Amino acid sequence: GRLEFVGGGWCMSDEAAAHYGPAIEQLALGRRFLRREFGACGTPRVAWQIDPFGHSRQLASIFAQVGAPPFAPSPAPRGTLASGLTPSSLQMGYDGLFVGRVDHQDKATREQLQEMELLWRASGSLPPPTADLFTGILPNVYNPPSGFCWDQLCSDPPVVDEDSEENNVDSIVSAFLQIAASQAESYRTNHIIMTMGSDFHYENANLWFKNMDKLIAHVNARQANGSRVHVLYSTPSCYLWELHRANLSWSVKTDDFFPYADGPHQFWTGYFTSRPAFKRYERLSNNFLQICSQLEALAGPVAREGPYGPGNSSVLREAVAVAQHHDAVTGTEKQHVADDYARQLAAGWESCQLLVANALASLSGSKENFIFCNALNISVCPLTEAAGRFTVILYNPLGRRVSWPIRLPVNGASYAVTDPQGQPVPSEVSPGQLPHPPARPAVWELLFQASVPPLGFSTFTVSRLSRGGPRVHPARTPVLSQPQEIQNEHLRVLFDPLTGHLKEIQNLDKSISLPVFQNFYWYNASVGNNESPQASGAYIFRPNSSEPIPVSSSKRVSTHLVKVGGGDGVPGARGVPRVLSPQPCFLQNALVQEVHQNFSSWCSQVVRLHAGQPYVELEWTVGPIPVADGWGKEIISRFETTLQTDSRFYTDSNGRQILERRRDYRPTWNLSQTEPVAGNYYPVNSRIFIKDKKFQLTVLTDRSQGGSSIFDGSLELMVHRRLLYDDNRGVGEPLVELGADRQGLVVRGRHLLLLDTVESAADQHRLLAQELFMAPYVVLAPGGGPSYRHGQPSLRQFSALRQELPPNIHLLTLTPWDAGTLLLRLEHQFERGESVNGSQPVTVDLLNLFSAFTITSVQEMSLGADLPLSAISRLVWTPAIGPAQPRPVPKLDPSQVTLQPMEIRTFLATVRYKVPG
């Protein structure tokens, strides 16, 4: 064939900063579009990731499971699969993957060893060959061979074959044959692939094809003189087919392709953090998309056409999908393009909020004036600040009950909160986090802990008891002789009384403690030097020194303890004054204990313990990063411990698998390290941890960031960066991010710290990471709305599940598909062997799982959801370490769906709703 679709996603997604959830969704969205528009022949068989800046193990595992139909370029007997095509065992998908960007040292080694094509074993949990993926590294990234670029953007000479003095056929053919022979030395079969095109090419396709036609004709004409080179137009699938026919065994890779460097001082590790505000907005948008899709599925068609207007989840779905692009969530786009991505997401939120309102009214039986306070992240919500009474509806998208801290801006002194059963809920009023929004009075925050059932909502009523801010009793007592601390049922956190820094964390449940020092630093961004002119930019991280500079100019800050008491027989609150000095202040009440730290005028942090929660929350606020001194700055939060880590640390792959990293080391070649900091940075999508033989310190993130362990016992995360020079990789402007006020972007985020034993750590970080990713969502209303249907009682609490899912099972997808059908994805969220209980197989009764509808029939699908699992087949490759036999697809029993560690299973369910419409 001469034309085929490759990849097939809504975009060519990034592989470092993209989370596996939206990565699967964007792939499925694009493939569904192709199948709808072009039929079966539009289904891609090859993954095509030729521009992302490094390649992840989890994305490779997804590509292996997405699904491809039987295909044979040559005739095969009717009723049989072509030779080498085997029915899939567990949703096996693409026949192979082609990538363009591989570290320059890695590529040089592979060319020498003829390992430019390999078998990537992309999971240590799924049985081979489930996640095995044939992977080919293209010879010139995605460009043509040197001298053979014939686009209007290029300057290479065209093929002149007329009878004239300019005839250059012999020289061009000879040069091409020499390049082909040189390339063939790095590949194992007598077939090689060349890409003919590049960025922004084919606006004038005739130039390309006219010259390629001539090249093909004249190269093949040389065969008459003994040449053994034959050139033809081809496709990735046809090339892959020929490699398979060679019947070779292929070297096996089990790690990933991070970090990527295209030169000695050119590590593409800055984009792991670039545009941190947009990275968070993308993560929040996917969170809300899942809630929107779930409620659309639970309420049925009334969600799309209800009393609040037409709701539409596709606007946000497409915006989140395109945000996965390798120049979107990465932060490597121009500023006006980043603004447009954000605009598209905002339009999607508006459409989904109508849908959510329709669905909540239908499910609760009450037509409330639902209010979505989109500025809660900066403590702005007119309803809660002004109203004497309002309701809080908290929706939980997880398959298990969640206890979630609520923080709402208020201006009253005290409030009463009641749960769905009318029982009082402990609450406090405390000072809001600094800095406050510009031109606004200091607001207070109402705090309470809300319990929400699985896949459902709880409604809480809030009533103001008295006006005015809480009276201030700043019982400020200098504490210099003993450590200052905060504590809840599970943890004690100690602070150095002289410096105010975090000093130690104690896990009270396990009777373990660990000295932990935390501070903020900045790397001075390189503008180029004698070794290399490379500057730090949107893509590339290059500090001009391996030693970062502390953000705080003072090592010694005075510390004051501020205790907050209650009153009136109910948990109340007394506030603390606004702290403008660089000294920490301590806040303690029944629900939360906080230490407010100010490291500089542009960097602050709240260290927080919530009642009943087994983690330490560090909420940091950074910016505007000052650059008037002419220095670009890359801000990190660093943790230093006494753990003996032997150069090792661990990062997640797209929020799912965990990979071991070793400082100054690569598993598949002998690394020559030229950048001791940037060359050890890896993408951290959801978590990073260090451990010794006994204890593990895990830090969970609320967005993708770059992270590392630069010396033993330490780990660090880059939270923000502001740069004054372009890194010459295509953006064409510095990553300066001025923000709305043109003064520079202020970014706020959270790190959650877990201290546990090595054997128990996964039980905590797996569930908590999923809670961060699929967080409950707050909808507000004045209350007292009319009934949705005449005589329908209002429902203040609702769960769409008959019972909670087991903790190791996650409902990854619940969304409407075609009329009367829903798409379901269930996943096992533990890896094999990482937890005694969590890593066990689990069986779920799909037919009796949901209470909102009745499932009448189920069909198991590929991960991409565009093909039945029974229809999937793909090429089976032979690993050099020995063959792995695919398992037959078991017959589906929807009452007993078993999931093995790291397995995702996808179903199309035909449903009947209990309430008509």
Side-chain angles (χ1 to χ4, degrees):
R2 294 191 177 189
L3 176 66
E4 72 172 66
F5 292 111
V6 292
W10 202 247
C11 66
M12 186 186 295
S13 71
D14 176 54
E15 300 198 34
H19 191 278
Y20 75 95
I24 291 171
E25 293 237 345
Q26 75 84 21
L27 205 53
L29 185 64
R31 288 172 61 94
R32 191 181 188 199
F33 171 83
L34 290 176
R35 193 163 184 85
R36 186 173 65 242
E37 298 297 324
F38 298 97
C41 67
T43 303
R45 300 194 58 85
V46 172
W48 189 252
Q49 292 287 103
I50 60 172
D51 199 17
F53 333 120
H55 303 281
S56 79
R57 193 185 195 204
Q58 181 58 44
L59 259 290
S61 177
I62 288 168
F63 290 135
Q65 298 176 71
V66 163
F71 165 75
S74 55
R78 289 189 64 188
T80 67
L81 295 173
S83 174
L85 287 165
T86 304
S88 181
S89 56
L90 285 173
Q91 315 176 50
M92 298 198 298
Y94 288 111
D95 285 330
L97 161 69
F98 288 96
V99 300
R101 298 186 185 275
V102 171
D103 185 279
H104 67 109
Q105 293 183 47
D106 188 9
K107 185 177 181 183
T109 303
R110 290 184 177 280
E111 286 175 332
Q112 190 175 6
L113 298 175
Q114 285 195 329
E115 291 186 354
M116 291 288 279
E117 292 160 335
L118 58 127
L119 196 61
W120 196 350
R121 182 151 290 169
S123 174
S125 296
L126 300 172
T130 303
D132 288 359
L133 185 66
F134 185 90
T135 303
I137 301 167
L138 297 174
N140 303 302
V141 186
Y142 47 64
N143 297 303
S146 179
F148 293 84
C149 185
W150 290 309
D151 196 83
Q152 63 192 27
L153 299 174
C154 305
S155 56
D156 292 340
V159 180
V160 181
D161 55 1
E162 289 85 7
D163 187 11
S164 75
E165 292 181 358
E166 296 181 355
N167 187 298
N168 59 2
V169 168
D170 283 348
S171 62
I172 280 188
V173 169
S174 296
F176 182 85
L177 290 174
Q178 187 176 355
I179 287 172
S182 175
Q183 181 180 325
E185 291 177 1
S186 301
Y187 293 80
R188 294 181 61 199
T189 75
N190 62 337
H191 294 268
I192 60 172
I193 187 172
M194 291 183 180
T195 48
M196 304 298 284
S198 189
D199 271 345
F200 311 112
H201 283 202
Y202 287 87
E203 288 184 28
N204 186 347
N206 181 56
L207 277 176
W208 265 112
F209 285 108
K210 182 171 70 174
N211 283 281
M212 286 192 292
D213 286 347
K214 291 180 180 181
L215 178 70
I216 290 170
H218 291 297
V219 169
N220 291 344
R222 286 275 184 103
Q223 294 169 18
N225 298 325
S227 170
R228 300 180 63 185
V229 175
H230 183 77
V231 186
L232 70 156
Y233 287 115
S234 188
T235 68
S237 282
C238 291
Y239 173 66
L240 208 57
W241 182 263
E242 292 300 333
L243 296 184
H244 187 265
R245 285 180 58 185
N247 199 27
L248 301 175
S249 60
W250 303 89
S251 63
V252 175
K253 178 182 179 67
T254 58
D255 58 320
D256 63 4
F257 288 98
F258 287 115
Y260 163 62
D262 59 357
H265 298 278
Q266 300 161 2
F267 283 92
W268 297 45
T269 54
Y271 80 94
F272 300 160
T273 294
S274 295
R275 301 197 187 279
F278 180 73
K279 280 179 164 65
R280 178 60 180 157
Y281 192 32
E282 177 275 330
R283 188 66 59 90
L284 283 170
S285 297
N286 178 74
N287 191 167
F288 189 54
L289 172 63
Q290 300 313 309
I291 289 167
C292 179
S293 297
Q294 288 182 5
L295 284 168
E296 185 179 6
L298 298 178
V302 295
R304 293 183 288 277
E305 296 292 339
Y308 302 92
N312 186 356
S313 60
S314 66
V315 182
L316 185 55
R317 183 168 292 107
E318 292 174 9
V320 170
V322 80
Q324 306 312 308
H325 188 274
H326 59 272
D327 280 316
V329 69
T330 52
T332 53
E333 62 276 74
K334 289 180 183 291
Q335 185 62 56
H336 73 274
V337 179
D339 293 342
D340 189 61
Y341 282 128
R343 181 193 59 79
Q344 291 187 47
L345 290 172
W349 277 72
E350 286 186 13
S351 293
C352 257
Q353 284 173 346
L354 283 173
L355 194 151
V356 167
N358 287 333
L360 285 176
S362 171
L363 294 170
S364 69
S366 181
K367 287 193 285 189
E368 298 288 347
N369 178 22
F370 294 113
I371 292 172
F372 299 86
C373 279
N374 295 326
L376 279 176
N377 63 317
I378 56 169
S379 298
V380 174
C381 183
L383 174 68
T384 62
E385 292 172 59
R389 181 183 174 90
F390 57 89
T391 62
V392 178
I393 303 106
L394 186 65
Y395 179 82
N396 173 23
L398 292 172
R400 64 179 188 276
R401 178 172 286 276
V402 168
S403 178
W404 193 254
I406 301 293
R407 305 179 75 92
L408 298 170
V410 293
N411 282 314
S414 59
Y415 289 79
V417 180
T418 56
D419 68 11
Q421 290 75 40
Q423 297 301 307
V425 176
S427 65
E428 303 277 358
V429 175
S430 77
Q433 185 178 344
L434 305 175
H436 293 302
R440 283 183 56 82
V443 293
W444 302 85
E445 288 187 327
L446 171 67
L447 314 178
F448 65 93
Q449 201 77 14
S451 179
V452 207
L455 204 67
F457 61 81
S458 290
T459 303
F460 300 84
T461 300
V462 178
S463 303
R464 185 170 57 210
L465 300 178
S466 59
R467 291 180 175 274
R471 287 181 297 124
V472 175
H473 289 278
R476 299 165 66 119
T477 309
V479 181
L480 301 174
S481 58
Q482 80 254 13
Q484 299 175 358
E485 65 183 54
I486 54 177
Q487 178 177 333
N488 68 5
E489 305 94 308
H490 304 290
L491 296 167
R492 180 182 294 125
V493 182
L494 282 71
F495 297 83
D496 189 301
L498 297 179
T499 68
H501 286 113
L502 179 65
K503 177 183 177 182
E504 183 179 334
I505 300 175
Q506 299 175 1
N507 181 326
L508 304 177
D509 298 326
K510 303 287 178 67
S511 299
I512 59 178
S513 66
L514 181 68
V516 181
F517 171 80
Q518 184 269 338
N519 200 5
F520 288 93
Y521 302 84
W522 57 276
Y523 288 108
N524 193 348
S526 176
V527 299
N529 58 16
N530 293 334
E531 284 185 303
S532 168
Q534 182 62 58
S536 213
Y539 295 94
I540 289 173
F541 169 38
R542 189 183 181 214
N544 71 358
S545 168
S546 297
E547 291 298 322
I549 300 163
V551 165
S552 174
S553 58
S554 171
K555 292 183 179 179
R556 183 187 180 94
V557 292
S558 60
T559 302
H560 292 88
L561 179 64
V562 180
K563 288 194 173 181
V564 183
D568 304 324
V570 203
R574 297 293 182 265
V576 295
R578 179 168 177 169
V579 178
L580 297 175
S581 65
Q583 63 197 25
C585 72
F586 290 70
L587 165 69
Q588 295 179 313
N589 62 39
L591 290 173
V592 68
Q593 301 185 37
E594 297 178 348
V595 176
H596 292 242
Q597 301 169 312
N598 282 282
F599 296 85
S600 74
S601 61
W602 53 272
C603 179
S604 62
Q605 180 171 260
V606 177
V607 183
R608 185 178 287 132
L609 284 180
H610 293 282
Q613 298 294 349
Y615 58 83
V616 186
E617 177 182 310
L618 276 64
E619 188 172 32
W620 46 267
T621 303
V622 175
I625 298 173
V627 290
D629 54 11
W631 294 346
K633 298 176 179 64
E634 326 218 24
I635 317 303
I636 63 165
S637 174
R638 176 180 281 178
F639 303 84
E640 300 176 28
T641 76
T642 55
L643 293 174
Q644 302 296 308
T645 53
D646 193 25
S647 300
R648 288 166 168 80
F649 58 105
Y650 301 80
T651 65
D652 67 283
S653 180
N654 305 106
R656 203 153 191 262
Q657 300 183 53
I658 304 293
L659 294 179
E660 180 186 274
R661 312 298 191 180
R662 284 172 61 184
R663 195 162 55 251
D664 298 331
Y665 173 81
R666 303 292 186 268
T668 54
W669 83 90
N670 293 323
L671 173 68
S672 174
Q673 184 62 277
T674 56
E675 289 288 329
V677 176
N680 285 304
Y681 257 62
Y682 288 86
V684 178
N685 212 281
S686 66
R687 76 210 80 178
I688 181 173
F689 61 80
I690 51 176
K691 64 181 182 179
D692 60 14
K693 289 180 169 47
K694 292 182 178 179
F695 306 134
Q696 177 171 318
L697 181 70
T698 307
V699 182
L700 282 82
T701 66
D702 64 354
R703 74 202 73 192
S704 292
Q705 295 172 333
S708 187
S709 174
I710 299 301
F711 53 90
D712 277 6
S714 76
L715 60 81
E716 65 186 56
L717 289 156
M718 187 182 292
V719 297
H720 200 356
R721 55 203 309 254
R722 190 179 185 190
L723 308 170
L724 302 179
Y725 294 87
D726 179 45
D727 56 13
N728 199 30
R729 288 306 184 278
V731 181
E733 62 186 37
L735 185 71
V736 74
E737 290 204 282
L738 294 175
D741 62 1
R742 314 302 292 169
Q743 300 302 306
L745 202 62
V746 180
V747 179
R748 178 173 291 168
R750 294 192 301 157
H751 290 148
L752 304 187
L753 270 64
L754 292 167
L755 174 64
D756 209 336
T757 59
V758 169
E759 54 269 24
S760 301
D763 292 327
Q764 286 206 55
H765 74 68
R766 284 288 177 191
L767 302 189
L768 191 54
Q770 209 61 270
E771 232 173 82
L772 263 178
F773 177 67
M774 295 274 275
Y777 184 74
V778 170
V779 181
L780 298 153
S787 295
Y788 183 77
R789 295 182 190 87
H790 181 68
Q792 180 184 5
S794 62
L795 199 60
R796 296 182 59 81
Q797 187 161 282
F798 166 82
S799 174
L801 297 184
R802 295 184 187 278
Q803 58 187 29
E804 288 192 48
L805 284 170
N808 45 6
I809 299 300
H810 175 229
L811 179 63
L812 180 61
T813 306
L814 173 62
T815 189
W817 203 244
D818 296 317
T821 62
L822 303 178
L823 179 68
L824 301 168
R825 287 192 187 95
L826 289 173
E827 67 163 323
H828 197 304
Q829 59 183 356
F830 280 74
E831 292 194 69
R832 191 175 300 279
E834 71 178 353
S835 166
V836 173
N837 296 318
S839 297
Q840 297 301 315
V842 181
T843 299
V844 175
D845 181 355
L846 206 56
L847 297 179
N848 291 303
L849 181 59
F850 297 94
S851 61
F853 47 76
T854 301
I855 294 178
T856 57
S857 66
V858 181
Q859 183 179 29
E860 188 158 10
M861 307 295 286
S862 69
L863 184 58
D866 55 337
L867 290 165
L869 187 58
S870 58
I872 304 303
S873 62
R874 68 166 182 165
L875 298 174
V876 175
W877 305 83
T878 304
I881 57 177
Q885 289 302 317
R887 297 180 299 160
V889 178
K891 185 178 179 182
L892 174 64
D893 178 357
S895 66
Q896 296 187 54
V897 174
T898 299
L899 291 112
Q900 303 289 338
M902 284 286 106
E903 185 178 8
I904 304 173
R905 296 185 69 174
T906 306
F907 306 95
L908 271 185
T910 305
V911 301
R912 184 176 64 247
Y913 288 95
K914 303 218 168 160
V915 178

